[in-house]
Amino acid sequence: MILDVNMLNIMLLIFVIPISLLFEGLRRKLMARMQNRIGPPVWQPVYDVMKLLQKEESDSKASENIFFKITPFLYLITTFALFLFVPFPIISFPFDFILFVYILILGGALYILSGFASNSPYGSIGSMRETTLMVCYEIIFAIVIITFALYTNIESLMSFNQNFLFLKLPLASLCLFIVGLVEMRITPFDTVEAPTEIIGSVETEYSGRGLALLEISKALKFTFFIFLITMLFFGFKGVLMFSIVSLIMLFIFTFLQATTCRYRLDQTFNLLIFVLLLAVIELIRINYLVW
Amino acid sequence: MHDFKIPIGPQHPATDESACLRVSLDGNTIIDSDLRFGYAHKGIEKLLEGKRIEQGLHIVDHICGICSVAHPSCYVKTIEKMLNYKPPERVKYLRTLASELGRIQSHLFWTGFMLHEIGFETMLAYFLRDREHILEVLERLTGSRSHFAYHKIRTVRNDISENDVNFTLKKIKEVKKQIPTYMKTIKKDTVIKARMKDVGIITRMDAERYSLVGPIARASGISTDIRKDDPYEAYDQVDFEVITEWDGDAYARMLVRIREIIESIKIVKQVLKNLPKGKIPPSTPLILEEGLELGRVEAPRGENFHLIKIKNKKIDRARIRPPTFNFMSIFTKLLEGRKIGDIPVILASLDPCYACMERVVVIKDGKKEVLTEHDFRRKYA
């Protein structure tokens, strides 16, 4: 196992929560500008989280459930742990990307658990939707990561050093992009958290600190996927180029959210099955067919 | 998967007003639903009883915020029928202008809201921006942005000046400029089509059986429009088309409403062009001993019906049937066998306005129940 501790890594780990909240604020601001609105200040998510952390939690039947209480913490920890590997890996050992995929799935499982533990019909439906979709998109994610690893012939994410891979692996990149949309809850694939259909899904029963932790985790996951896509697609190691490309990706995602509407659950599922097929084709292609 | 029973409302992002829809689910599919009202009940019909006719006008104006041109228009039409009074041409034209502007703002708001239900927030923002133009015009014309109170018995509240005519034309032009863009988006976007086509289909037969009115009937292929069938105000002097579509699904209802906006803009332009010269008559006290009359107008959502009985210069009984009353009977039928994701689409595509509709609520021993007229008679009369 190699520990690569330098200034950049540590700074990123310390400031990753403010950075993700800033990204969330930027997303809101950009969204508002695209919709002809002024929008909230860029630091609004920070104020929201600070306020929520100070508030007491509402007393509901669900709060007796131990899983309901601890899952937001665990969810935050698992999401935070993803930043150990992406974009500037700190820990490295052979085949660490398998652990990395596992951590992502663990986060999804905790999200589902908190929904079922919240004792609310909307939470249960949200968890049900997430379960249905997870069957599909986590497999795609795993296949895509393995495809990237096989193609670049790396043992761990630290030795990843190829630029502009999205031109060489177009199908796998497309699949990763779509999985990103599902995980980041961006239209047309934000079926899990459709507010006009099932209110807040898993977040419905949460309040105060629990809700704040969920909000932070959501922002972290959003930032994580932007970093991951920037890292795997473009592979820039310099901080400046990396930040610029990340902001461009943020703009693209916001633009997508502003200009599309949401698919229904069964439509999303059918589409994901098709995406799974694409991912498998790409995996076969890089192994047996010469480009 | 086990069965759920989930409440949609009274507080829910999918319902802009409060009503409770209890849905029984088998996994992701709806097997049964039950609609309960009574959260926006104001007792309008009871309030109207025993009031003077002029007082009644103010109450009618406050039935609903969106249809607040249609209700006074219908009330005034009914009273003028009783008086056997024919208003001057200029008053007729001004009333038509207000009615059409009211229809445009209602349809714009609805279309934005419909797209918001399927996650298209940007369109909601754009439609609200355009609705703002119409509201500015209405504010200049009537002096208010929500409860316009423009119609008065025998006359209208304000006359329109030459400046305001130009202002209206300018603003209408700005709205009209945007409509083709929206139409293109709606016709080309695959996700909108996937969500709205073949959802909540009302066949022509069902539409007739449930006596549906307004844009919903027109989307099922029934060419019904009170403006053509029973012309009032100045609708017999303007040229417009009754829009019909044949699919009867949520998408067709959307197309009907957007195309109606274009027709309404056409009417507004004609009205402003042909506005007769002259003065509007002053509002004078009216003497009406007795009478019983009914009137109907085309509200943005469909036929609006008022039945008013006057006795001893006071309103003895008033019956108001807004268009939403007809739609809600078919709503639960449309939901059967659909997915959860379709609930907001179907609900919004019917454009319900509960504030118009709420009538009888019986509260007894702390229990609350909402009854139809038939049940109410059987139980309590």
Side-chain angles (χ1 to χ4, degrees):
Chain A
M1 197 163 91
I2 307 164
L3 268 177
D4 178 17
V5 182
N6 59 30
M7 199 59 190
L8 183 66
N9 291 340
I10 298 298
M11 287 299 265
L12 184 77
L13 273 193
I14 291 170
F15 288 110
V16 73
I17 289 176
I19 286 173
S20 9
L21 290 175
L22 175 67
F23 268 41
E24 174 74 13
L26 272 173
R27 188 184 65 80
R28 280 198 210 172
K29 192 84 184 170
L30 272 172
M31 186 88 174
R33 285 301 157 116
M34 284 175 197
Q35 297 178 345
N36 257 303
R37 295 187 285 119
I38 292 171
V42 177
W43 289 107
Q44 188 62 41
V46 180
Y47 302 142
D48 285 353
V49 166
M50 301 272 263
K51 183 201 75 182
L52 281 173
L53 282 173
Q54 287 168 3
K55 291 186 100 168
E56 64 174 321
E57 292 186 25
S58 71
D59 214 13
S60 73
K61 226 180 194 176
S63 57
E64 292 163 11
N65 194 326
I66 183 77
F67 289 117
F68 182 78
K69 278 185 177 169
I70 60 165
T71 38
F73 286 102
L74 296 177
Y75 188 48
L76 180 64
I77 291 166
T78 48
T79 327
F80 190 78
L82 291 169
F83 285 90
L84 293 175
F85 303 97
V86 168
F88 307 115
I90 290 184
I91 309 169
S92 158
F93 49 87
F95 307 114
D96 58 355
F97 43 83
I98 292 176
L99 178 71
F100 161 71
V101 172
Y102 263 104
I103 291 175
L104 193 74
I105 295 177
L106 183 64
L110 286 168
Y111 187 82
I112 292 169
L113 189 61
S114 66
F116 280 129
S118 72
N119 204 6
S120 141
Y122 301 113
S124 303
I125 291 172
S127 295
M128 221 162 70
R129 289 182 168 198
E130 175 80 0
T131 320
T132 316
L133 294 183
M134 232 176 110
V135 171
C136 224
Y137 74 74
E138 295 292 11
I139 297 171
I140 302 172
F141 187 75
I143 291 176
V144 167
I145 294 293
I146 289 167
T147 312
F148 271 91
L150 282 177
Y151 188 79
T152 50
N153 212 358
I154 51 170
E155 257 197 357
S156 78
L157 285 168
M158 199 179 268
S159 49
F160 182 84
N161 58 353
Q162 292 220 18
N163 284 9
F164 298 108
L165 255 188
F166 75 105
L167 294 174
K168 291 167 190 159
L169 296 169
L171 285 183
S173 306
L174 181 72
C175 297
L176 182 61
F177 191 79
I178 289 174
V179 170
L181 291 182
V182 180
E183 284 267 20
M184 291 150 88
R185 323 281 187 230
I186 283 179
T187 51
F189 300 107
D190 68 337
T191 324
V192 177
E193 277 182 11
T196 50
E197 287 164 24
I198 48 172
I199 309 189
S201 80
V202 170
E203 290 169 16
T204 314
E205 288 293 319
Y206 280 100
S207 58
R209 202 175 52 193
L211 186 59
L213 295 178
L214 279 181
E215 294 265 316
I216 296 172
S217 318
K218 225 168 116 181
L220 276 177
K221 211 162 196 179
F222 185 80
T223 318
F224 163 72
F225 267 93
I226 287 181
F227 283 174
L228 179 72
I229 285 173
T230 316
M231 175 185 159
L232 290 185
F233 284 15
F234 299 94
F236 292 128
K237 291 282 179 195
V239 179
L240 185 70
M241 273 312 274
F242 191 86
S243 324
I244 290 170
V245 177
S246 298
L247 287 176
I248 292 170
M249 291 312 291
L250 176 73
F251 180 81
I252 290 172
F253 282 124
T254 315
F255 186 74
L256 249 178
Q257 189 166 26
T259 52
T260 50
C261 50
R262 177 186 312 126
Y263 273 123
R264 221 187 308 141
L265 178 64
D266 49 332
Q267 290 163 343
T268 314
F269 190 74
N270 291 345
L271 226 136
L272 282 179
I273 294 272
F274 181 67
V275 174
L276 178 61
L277 195 69
L278 290 184
V280 173
I281 288 173
E282 187 82 336
L283 185 61
I284 295 168
R285 184 182 74 78
I286 60 154
N287 277 307
Y288 297 105
L289 301 174
V290 184
W291 182 239
Chain B
M1 291 197 184
H2 59 283
D3 288 355
F4 285 112
K5 218 172 190 186
I6 61 164
I8 306 285
Q11 286 101 30
H12 192 279
T15 55
D16 52 342
E17 283 182 88
S18 34
C20 184
L21 175 73
R22 274 167 192 279
V23 193
S24 306
L25 297 169
D26 176 21
N28 201 21
T29 315
I30 300 162
I31 44 177
D32 193 21
S33 54
D34 174 27
L35 197 56
R36 299 173 70 187
F37 295 111
Y39 301 95
H41 178 65
K42 287 176 286 192
I44 292 283
E45 284 174 14
K46 185 71 194 164
L47 269 177
L48 278 169
E49 285 175 16
K51 296 282 191 301
R52 281 185 287 111
I53 295 169
E54 290 94 334
Q55 285 176 324
L57 188 54
H58 292 292
I59 295 172
V60 165
D61 184 53
H62 285 77
I63 289 179
C64 171
I66 305 273
C67 330
S68 59
V69 184
H71 280 292
S73 163
C74 194
Y75 183 85
V76 165
K77 186 189 170 187
T78 315
I79 298 289
E80 280 178 1
K81 246 174 156 182
M82 264 186 245
L83 289 168
N84 245 336
Y85 174 81
K86 289 245 175 331
E89 287 294 298
R90 190 175 173 85
V91 172
K92 273 191 189 175
Y93 270 77
L94 285 175
R95 282 179 184 174
T96 313
L97 178 66
S99 295
E100 285 313 305
L101 288 172
R103 190 183 321 280
I104 296 171
Q105 64 96 3
S106 171
H107 279 357
L108 281 175
F109 186 52
W110 177 85
T111 319
F113 192 75
M114 177 78 239
L115 289 165
H116 156 78
E117 295 286 316
I118 53 176
F120 213 148
E121 308 286 338
T122 312
M123 279 301 228
L124 175 66
Y126 283 4
F127 275 104
L128 286 184
R129 178 195 64 190
D130 289 348
R131 181 174 178 252
E132 195 59 32
H133 293 311
I134 305 293
L135 286 184
E136 272 176 37
V137 172
L138 275 166
E139 194 182 1
R140 279 225 182 176
L141 184 66
T142 67
S144 170
R145 280 168 61 90
S146 175
H147 294 286
F148 305 112
Y150 190 59
H151 291 65
K152 294 187 102 186
I153 292 157
R154 293 203 189 106
T155 175
V156 288
R157 185 171 294 277
N158 302 324
D159 202 350
I160 190 167
S161 70
E162 199 60 38
N163 257 343
D164 291 354
V165 171
N166 293 335
F167 181 76
T168 311
L169 281 173
K170 204 178 86 194
K171 289 286 180 189
I172 285 285
K173 205 174 162 189
E174 265 178 54
V175 175
K176 200 186 174 186
K177 205 171 65 189
Q178 302 289 347
I179 302 284
T181 323
Y182 300 147
M183 206 67 176
K184 204 172 134 194
T185 312
I186 287 159
K187 285 201 167 160
K188 289 206 169 160
D189 197 315
T190 43
V191 190
I192 294 182
K193 279 188 185 169
R195 284 306 299 275
M196 293 181 71
K197 278 218 162 175
D198 301 331
V199 173
I201 297 176
I202 302 176
T203 56
R204 193 186 163 127
M205 223 168 119
D206 270 346
E208 279 171 358
R209 196 182 292 153
Y210 284 84
S211 60
L212 300 186
V213 289
I216 292 165
R218 270 173 252 147
S220 300
I222 302 174
S223 173
T224 165
D225 195 327
I226 309 297
R227 294 177 291 174
K228 276 269 194 244
D229 302 342
D230 180 12
Y232 58 102
E233 294 175 358
Y235 284 114
D236 46 351
Q237 294 161 37
V238 288
D239 172 41
F240 68 98
E241 195 189 329
V242 179
I243 307 288
T244 45
E245 290 276 339
W246 294 92
D247 295 346
D249 52 6
Y251 190 71
R253 274 166 235 155
M254 177 124 119
L255 287 184
V256 163
R257 282 184 173 112
I258 293 188
R259 286 172 63 196
E260 270 183 22
I261 295 171
I262 302 172
E263 288 301 311
S264 292
I265 288 174
K266 219 165 94 186
I267 297 176
V268 168
K269 277 187 178 168
Q270 286 176 49
V271 165
L272 289 176
K273 199 178 152 202
N274 305 332
L275 195 64
K277 294 270 181 294
K279 272 189 174 175
I280 56 166
S283 176
T284 45
L286 76 156
I287 298 141
L288 186 60
E289 202 60 47
E290 266 184 16
L292 172 69
E293 197 56 79
L294 57 89
R296 51 183 189 154
V297 301
E298 182 78 9
R301 292 173 170 84
E303 184 197 80
N304 190 10
F305 176 91
H306 282 214
L307 174 76
I308 293 160
K309 187 182 172 193
I310 309 281
K311 209 172 170 184
N312 300 332
K313 298 179 190 169
K314 301 263 168 74
I315 298 171
D316 190 45
R317 174 81 178 96
R319 170 78 189 127
I320 297 163
R321 196 195 67 184
T324 309
F325 191 77
N326 301 23
F327 305 151
M328 292 333 272
S329 53
I330 202 171
F331 176 49
T332 46
K333 184 176 175 281
L334 292 179
L335 285 180
E336 270 170 35
R338 305 295 319 185
K339 305 272 185 267
I340 311 171
D342 286 334
I343 297 174
V345 179
I346 294 175
L347 180 62
S349 79
L350 293 178
D351 195 8
C353 179
Y354 305 126
C356 290
M357 200 193 76
E358 300 262 312
R359 288 298 166 265
V360 182
V361 184
V362 179
I363 300 173
K364 200 175 177 186
D365 308 332
K367 280 184 190 164
K368 194 160 122 182
E369 51 183 333
V370 184
L371 297 174
T372 58
E373 194 184 341
H374 178 254
D375 285 351
F376 181 73
R377 267 203 209 139
R378 203 186 59 206
K379 261 186 160 173
Y380 295 99

